[in-house]
């Protein structure tokens, strides 16, 4: 793939160029946003300015054309994320004009490479520009361990001179003009003492590369320089230098791009597609059921098309128009959605649905998503069955009207779009993770993609499953969490991929899941930043001065959490295995993980297994109502307004053959995941009994976890469904409970058996997810 390297002349630019070429890509030119001529150090958040006068000579050494666009390097949007609305005076928009010119002059250009290591600020902006220009973003240094970065610099013969210092322990006249190799021992000592970033990613120092293995046509010798000190900082002004040729050749082209001319020809600064879509919403919502608690948590059951069409695009438009109006009716926007489940009858429609999906949610922090191919939907076989796609969403109102949750961000997303060795980019317009109320992390469905190639790993479904967990652990590590904070896992298995092994793969899947959670997918938490050996003191005791004070103020939550881990229960996760027709890009395995943040996990996890066999005891079921709509603040209000559990149809035990049910619960304080690992029905024709049994297990699971709060939509997958169709299951479900339900058929069982599995998430008032609430609890 042909790419342009964003190059400042520093070590990260050169190393990322080398890494991309070693991956098989071809660099065709360099691109640089230069500071004003009279500003040797512009202190830009995006671009290195010191040593910029060497860029034409660096392009000569690399034998690559150079495109330069001068900029005043002004910044109007300082937020970590970037939505492309800064205006034409902002320095990042100047990168847009530069890359647009490069793309125009080089029709084969497909990608942009940058040297970002840990800077989300830089990565978000470059990804935004690439997305608008239809270019792939390379970030092969992204979240590579800082010590590994320095090792690779040495291996590639990169001679990187320090030309700016901005950190304690570095002195201008003592350390400027020395190489990173010479100063490596000092960097290591400063890292031990101050958590100094040895790769300089924290702005500790800047470099200019005078020679490397990639400098095939020459090296640079600096003959005259001046050191400028500004307080404790200092930088080098290079006044004289020359290129010492390794290979004689013609001078490479240097293209000076005029910003004013590019602006005149361009008025296509990004528009907000989400707002545009919302305004054209349909006038009806169909039969979609949705609920929203007083704490602002919103869920829907299945949304399907109102239009009988054989075109997936037409059905998708109908679904999103319904969603627009449903959200509007609740005072919500598409940006409030943090997690989506997308079900396709034919996984071959994956690319088509993504076009409409992207138009609706946009590319700026879209929700996380899980997508599976079902092969069939409800009422399959009926003449009027036309459903090709189904959708359900979770959303959270950002500012609750009662003011209770206005002090923290209710919805956050991690959306990395750069191809790197860190974790795969999403294979659709969705984020790697959606975080709700600062505590619950909804990971996108993850398949076994090799991050740097974006191809399914070879070696079979077990290899894919192992890589899935490594990828998830990498995402969690970037968010300061890990797999031990996991609430539960759903494993989707493509039928054709494991058909020979059949149900024997169940035990293998559960073993691999346990192993991978125990080893955190082989990812050492904090290793990339080099901070894994010892926690920051403020983080270790959550701001308190010592452990004794911390335990006294938190009621021993730390002690409880440690005990659980020592007993091994911390890794006894609820796991549900679902056989499906197909998965995206031909994957055999996909995992869906619900995780807790590090702060939430400190409250201490508890895992329980609840089992039931025999016949249903309807008296137990009706002891307390089961309903998602429980945003009430006292018991009297709750019992007077919530619809009671309906069990009138569950009285004739003779019509029911029997069942075996297992439900695993993993809870932390007032948040729980309820994983229905198996409900197997044998004989009998009374479907209400099976549904009543599942609802009973959910009720018992909530009671065991001490929860009476919001219960999200129950997702129920069933196999062996020759006897019952999804529409019949939903009708029976409505007779016994007011919970929302998504029912989907999957790979069938032989004979008269029917098996259900699924999951739900329970919140108790939405308090434990809030950092503010954790402070109050102390």
């Amino acid at each position: 793939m042909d790419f342009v390297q964003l190059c400042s002349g520093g070590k990260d630019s050169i190393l990322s160029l080398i890494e991309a070429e070693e991956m098989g890509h071809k660099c065709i030119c360099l691109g640089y946003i230069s500071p004003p001529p009279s500003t040797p150090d512009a202190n830009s958040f995006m671009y290195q300015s010191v040593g910029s006068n060497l860029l034409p000579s660096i392009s000569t050494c690399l034998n690559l054309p150079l495109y330069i666009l001068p900029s005043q390097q002004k910044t109007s949007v300082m937020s970590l994320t970037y939505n492309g609305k800064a205006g034409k005076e902002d320095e990042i928009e100047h990168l847009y004009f530069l890359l647009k010119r490069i793309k125009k002059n080089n029709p084969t250009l497909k990608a942009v490479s940058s040297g970002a290591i840990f800077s989300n600020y830089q990565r978000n902006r470059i990804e935004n520009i690439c997305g608008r220009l239809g270019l792939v973003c390379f970030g092969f240094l992204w979240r590579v361990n800082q010590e590994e970065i320095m090792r690779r610099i040495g291996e590639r013969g990169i001679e990187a001179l320090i030309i700016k210092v901005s950190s304690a322990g570095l002195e201008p006249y003592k350390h400027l003009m020395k190489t990173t190799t010479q100063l490596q021992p000092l960097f290591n000592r400063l890292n031990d003492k101050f958590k100094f970033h040895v790769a300089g990613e924290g702005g500790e120092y800047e470099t200019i590369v005078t020679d490397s293995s990639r400098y095939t046509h020459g090296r640079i010798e600096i003959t005259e320089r001046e050191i400028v000190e500004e307080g404790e900082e200092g930088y080098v002004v290079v006044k004289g230098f020359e290129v010492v040729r390794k290979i004689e050749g013609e001078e490479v082209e240097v293209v000076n791009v005029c910003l004013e001319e590019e602006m005149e020809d361009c008025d296509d600064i990004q528009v907000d597609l989400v707002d545009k879509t919302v305004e054209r919403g349909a006038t009806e919502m169909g039969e979609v059921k949705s609920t929203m608690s007083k704490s602002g948590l919103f869920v829907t059951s299945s949304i399907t098309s109102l239009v009988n069409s054989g075109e997936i695009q037409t059905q998708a438009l109908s679904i999103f128009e319904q969603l627009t109006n449903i959200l509007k009716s609740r005072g919500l926007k598409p940006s409030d959605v943090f997690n989506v489940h997308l079900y396709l009858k034919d996984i071959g429609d994956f690319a088509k649905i993504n076009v409409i999906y992207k138009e609706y949610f946009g590319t700026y922090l879209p929700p996380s998503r899980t997508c599976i191919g079902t092969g069939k939907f409800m009422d399959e076989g009926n003449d009027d069955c036309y459903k090709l796609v189904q959708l359900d969403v979770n959303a959270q109102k950002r500012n609750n009207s009662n003011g209770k949750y206005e002090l923290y961000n209710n919805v956050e997303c991690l959306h990395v779009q750069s191809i790197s060795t860190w974790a795969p980019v999403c294979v659709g317009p969705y984020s790697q993770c959606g975080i709700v109320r600062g505590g619950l992390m909804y990971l996108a469905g993850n398949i076994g993609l090799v991050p740097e190639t974006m191809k399914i790993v070879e070696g079979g479904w077990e290899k894919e499953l192992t890589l899935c967990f490594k990828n998830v652990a990498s995402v969690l590590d970037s968010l300061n969490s890990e797999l031990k904070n996991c609430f539960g896992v759903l494993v989707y298995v493509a039928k054709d991929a494991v058909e020979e092994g059949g149900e024997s793969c169940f035990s293998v899947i559960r073993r691999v899941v346990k192993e991978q959670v125990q080893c955190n997918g082989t990812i050492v938490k904090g290793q990339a930043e080099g901070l894994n050996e010892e926690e920051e003191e403020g983080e270790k005791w959550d701001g308190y001065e010592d452990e004794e004070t911390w335990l006294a103020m938190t009621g021993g939550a730390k002690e409880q959490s440690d005990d659980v881990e020592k007993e091994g229960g911390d890794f006894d996760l609820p796991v549900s295995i679902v056989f499906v027709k197909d998965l995206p890009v031909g994957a055999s395995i996909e995992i869906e993980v619900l995780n807790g943040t590090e702060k939430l996990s400190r409250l201490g996890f508890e895992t329980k297994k609840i089992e039931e066999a025999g016949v249903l005891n309807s008296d137990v079921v009706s002891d307390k109502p089961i309903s998602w709509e429980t945003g009430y603040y006292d018991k009297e209000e709750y019992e007077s307004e919530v619809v009671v559990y309906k069990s009138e149809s569950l009285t004739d035990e003779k019509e029911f053959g029997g069942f075996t049910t297992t439900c695993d619960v993993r809870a932390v304080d007032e948040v729980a995941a309820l994983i229905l690992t198996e409900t197997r029905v044998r004989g009998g024709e009374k479907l209400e009994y099976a549904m009543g049994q599942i609802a009973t297990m959910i009720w018992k699971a909530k009671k065991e976890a001490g929860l009476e709060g919001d219960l999200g939509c129950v997702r129920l997958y069933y196999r062996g469904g020759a006897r019952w169709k999804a529409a019949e299951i939903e009708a029976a479900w409505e007779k016994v409970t007011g919970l929302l339900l998504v029912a989907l058929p999957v790979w069938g069982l032989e004979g008269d058996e029917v098996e259900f599995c699924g999951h739900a998430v329970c919140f108790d008032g939405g308090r434990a997810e809030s950092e503010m609430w954790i402070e109050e609890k102390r």
Side-chain angles (χ1 to χ4, degrees), residues 15-35:
L15 179 59
S16 59
L17 186 158
I18 295 172
E19 294 279 334
E21 289 187 332
E22 289 180 353
M23 294 287 180
H25 304 289
K26 178 183 178 182
C27 184
I28 58 175
C29 64
L30 308 177
Y32 180 61
I33 301 292
S34 69

